[in-house]
């Protein structure tokens, strides 16, 4: 922070407009007392000083002499963003404070954003590490990272930059380039986070719907120096095929374009690379943890086990009929070379849907063709739901398919 020299500020309609960067708890008004003569609050682009009725400030006062400290962004460095634990003060700072959000507010962080800093590999690595295991138990959060538009000026160079920065995690969503609206410039991660939050809110807080192909409140894509970036569909799809989210102005208006996390294309496991599917697994896991945390350290009887299992089954059966959850199993098909790959994924997810939609505690399901996929993948997928899977081959004539799944709930 920096100290701002004492000066006179005009009073209009009982209010003084201070700059947004002013720190509320450092404001001092000569001869007057906070809480008695005036109150301070942030609103819009300003810190507002409001004169209180009954205080010592005369109604006809035209100016107030004020001093305060202000935020000084120029003094912030990577270490401030990364943060840590100070052994001398016993205080946490920076990204280490993410683990303090749930204990203080009862809300599990879902999106981690550090605009202006996430393009640095050190910061991105810590963001990813925190997203992977918040409070050691909550998984599925995403770190929204911006590619450096000062270094990477052409879309074809972004994949090489991504590789050089070692950004290949399922917990990362990599964005390029920057966005602009009027005379303001924004890091893409800011708009992506806002759009993901709005989409989730439109679906009752459920992250099953992809933010891709949703309208952005921007009028251009751009580089840090203001150069306009205009991508066509093939170029935008090229970025997507390398695990990079971008903006596309193709039909109607600018939209966010891309469904892939940064682990793609190295990792083609749909529960890792497809944004909405990956977030859904985290959402389900967090929901189960939050709902049944009170059962920890209870006497583990058969009745309690059955109660938990039945409750989870009823909940899953209920959300399976809801459109937001169903979209987990409905992937958008792009008019590009990835159409066949997406089609295979749809078959696989349809098989999962058949199994999850069953209401019994033990389910037998058979799949064939493109949907008869890797057994280890099935086991990993259902392990995220806490479901044990036994996979066997049956010789009985009434089971024609070669692969059968027994879900032991």
């Amino acid at each position: 922070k920096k100290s701002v020299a004492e000066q006179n500020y005009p009073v209009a309609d009982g209010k003084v407009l201070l700059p947004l960067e002013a720190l509320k708890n450092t404001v001092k008004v000569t001869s007057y007392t906070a809480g008695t003569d005036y109150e301070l609050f942030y609103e819009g682009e300003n810190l507002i000083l409001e004169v209180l009725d009954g205080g010592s400030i005369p109604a006809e006062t035209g100016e107030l002499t004020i001093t305060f400290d202000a935020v000084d962004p120029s003094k912030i460095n990577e270490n401030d963003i990364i943060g840590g634990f100070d052994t001398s003060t016993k205080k946490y700072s920076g990204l280490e404070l993410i683990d303090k959000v749930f204990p203080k507010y009862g809300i599990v962080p879902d999106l981690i954003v550090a605009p202006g800093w996430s393009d640095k590999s050190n910061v991105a690595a810590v963001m990813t590490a925190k997203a992977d295991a918040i409070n050691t138990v909550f998984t599925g959060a995403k770190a929204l990272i911006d590619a450096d538009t000062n270094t990477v000026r052409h879309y074809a160079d972004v994949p090489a930059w991504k590789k050089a920065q070692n950004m290949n995690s399922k917990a990362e969503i990599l964005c390029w380039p920057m966005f602009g609206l009027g005379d303001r410039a924004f890091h893409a991660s800011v708009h992506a986070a806002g759009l993901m939050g709005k989409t989730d809110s439109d679906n009752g807080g459920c992250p099953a719907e992809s933010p891709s192909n949703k309208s952005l409140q921007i009028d251009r894509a751009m580089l840090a120096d203001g150069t306009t970036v205009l991508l066509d569909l093939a170029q935008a799809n090229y970025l997507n095929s390398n695990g990079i989210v971008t903006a596309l102005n193709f039909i109607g208006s600018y939209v966010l374009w891309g469904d892939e996390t940064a682990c793609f294309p190295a990792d083609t496991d749909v529960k890792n690379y497809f944004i909405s599917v990956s977030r859904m697994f985290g959402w389900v896991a967090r929901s189960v943890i939050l709902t049944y945390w009170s059962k920890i350290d209870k006497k583990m009887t058969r009745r309690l086990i059955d109660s938990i299992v039945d409750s989870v089954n009823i909940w899953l059966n209920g959300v399976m009929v809801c459109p937001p959850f169903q979209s987990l199993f409905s992937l958008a098909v792009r008019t590009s070379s990835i159409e066949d790959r997406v089609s295979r994924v749809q078959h696989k997810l349809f098989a999962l849907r058949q199994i999850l939609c069953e209401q019994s505690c033990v389910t037998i399901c058979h799949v064939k063709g493109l949907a008869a996929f890797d057994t280890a993948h099935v086991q990993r997928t259902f392990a995220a739901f806490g479901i044990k899977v036994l996979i066997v081959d049956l010789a009985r004539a009434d089971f024609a398919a070669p692969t059968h799944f027994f879900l032991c709930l």
Side-chain angles (χ1 to χ4, degrees):
K1 63 182 179 180
K2 60 183 178 182
S3 296
V4 177
E6 183 179 86
Q7 57 180 299
N8 294 330
Y9 291 85
V11 179
D13 297 325
K15 295 180 180 180
V16 177
L17 302 183
L18 299 175
L20 184 63
E21 59 268 21
L23 296 172
K24 178 181 174 181
N25 61 348
T26 66
V27 175
K28 294 181 180 179
V29 182
T30 302
S31 302
Y32 300 110
T33 305
T36 301
D37 302 319
Y38 62 90
E39 286 290 354
L40 295 160
F41 58 92
Y42 290 99
E43 183 177 86
E45 298 295 322
N46 295 98
L47 172 61
I48 309 294
L49 184 152
E50 185 174 38
V51 177
L52 296 178
D53 293 334
S56 303
I57 302 177
E60 64 275 10
T61 299
E63 289 184 337
L64 290 174
T65 304
I66 302 173
T67 183
F68 55 85
D69 291 340
V71 174
D72 186 1
S74 66
K75 294 183 179 180
I76 299 175
N77 56 43
E78 287 183 43
N79 292 331
D80 295 319
I81 303 300
I82 294 171
F85 178 72
D86 190 323
T87 56
S88 60
T89 63
K90 308 300 185 202
K91 291 183 178 180
Y92 292 90
S93 63
L95 290 168
E96 280 300 317
L97 288 169
I98 289 174
D99 284 337
K100 302 303 177 184
V101 174
F102 183 73
K104 185 171 184 177
Y105 299 104
I107 299 173
V108 182
D110 185 46
L111 301 174
I112 301 175
V113 186
W117 297 97
S118 60
D119 59 338
K120 296 171 175 57
S121 58
N122 290 341
V123 175
V126 176
M127 291 172 64
T128 303
K130 303 305 293 186
D132 272 338
I134 296 175
N135 297 116
T136 72
V137 294
F138 300 114
T139 61
K142 300 300 177 191
L144 275 67
I145 297 170
D146 295 290
D148 184 3
T149 58
N150 285 306
T151 303
V152 187
R153 301 181 57 83
H154 191 270
Y155 82 94
D157 297 329
V158 185
W161 181 89
K162 173 191 170 188
K163 184 176 181 180
Q165 300 296 314
N166 195 33
M167 294 182 181
N168 55 13
S169 169
K170 66 179 181 180
E172 297 173 333
I173 298 176
L174 181 60
C175 306
W176 186 88
M178 295 179 67
F179 300 154
L181 180 64
D183 59 354
R184 302 188 66 177
F186 303 90
H187 291 279
S189 62
V190 175
H191 276 265
L195 187 57
M196 292 169 75
K198 180 181 183 301
T199 304
D200 294 351
S201 179
D202 291 342
N203 288 289
C206 176
E209 185 172 355
S210 170
S212 182
N213 204 25
K214 305 291 190 302
S215 295
L216 290 167
Q217 298 301 310
I218 64 174
D219 54 27
R220 67 191 182 282
M222 57 184 287
L223 302 177
D225 63 4
T227 303
T228 299
V229 175
L230 191 60
L231 300 176
D232 60 30
L233 182 60
Q235 293 168 339
N237 282 343
Y238 171 76
L239 289 174
N240 293 172
S241 68
N242 284 278
I244 301 157
V245 174
T246 188
L248 178 65
N249 186 19
F250 193 62
I251 296 178
S253 63
Y254 272 100
V255 297
L256 194 70
W257 193 251
D259 291 298
E260 294 80 10
T261 64
C263 73
F264 190 80
D267 186 346
T268 57
D269 188 332
V270 69
K271 69 179 175 62
N272 294 334
Y273 85 81
F274 202 86
I275 291 175
S276 57
V277 176
S278 179
R279 295 183 68 213
M280 272 302 301
F281 273 93
W283 180 77
V284 170
R286 290 193 299 271
S287 298
V288 172
I289 291 171
L290 293 172
T291 302
Y292 298 102
W293 187 263
S294 62
K295 306 300 182 183
I296 291 178
D297 291 336
K298 295 254 185 205
K299 185 178 180 181
M300 190 52 63
T301 63
R302 182 72 249 179
R303 184 183 296 274
L304 178 59
I305 295 172
D306 291 341
S307 172
I308 295 173
V309 170
D310 291 344
S311 296
V312 173
N313 283 337
I314 291 171
W315 176 65
L316 285 176
N317 288 333
V319 296
M320 280 298 299
V321 300
C322 298
F325 198 90
Q326 287 178 347
S327 69
L328 170 62
F329 303 95
S330 303
L331 305 183
V333 177
R334 297 279 178 80
T335 55
S336 69
S337 60
I338 66 169
E339 181 173 351
D340 292 338
R341 172 174 56 79
V342 174
S343 178
R344 290 196 295 273
V345 171
Q346 286 178 312
H347 280 280
K348 296 175 182 180
L349 291 178
F350 182 73
L352 294 181
R353 182 179 179 180
Q354 284 182 300
I355 298 172
L356 286 176
C357 281
E358 293 292 338
Q359 297 184 11
S360 59
C361 289
V362 178
T363 302
I364 299 176
C365 178
H366 64 272
V367 292
K368 51 190 173 181
L370 291 174
F373 50 100
D374 179 67
T375 58
H377 172 75
V378 176
Q379 291 171 317
R380 288 196 305 270
T381 301
F382 281 100
F385 286 101
I387 300 173
K388 295 181 180 179
V389 182
L390 299 178
I391 305 178
V392 299
D393 294 330
L394 296 182
R396 291 174 53 186
D398 51 340
F399 290 104
T403 305
H404 297 79
F405 306 98
F406 287 75
L407 305 188
C408 302
L409 309 181

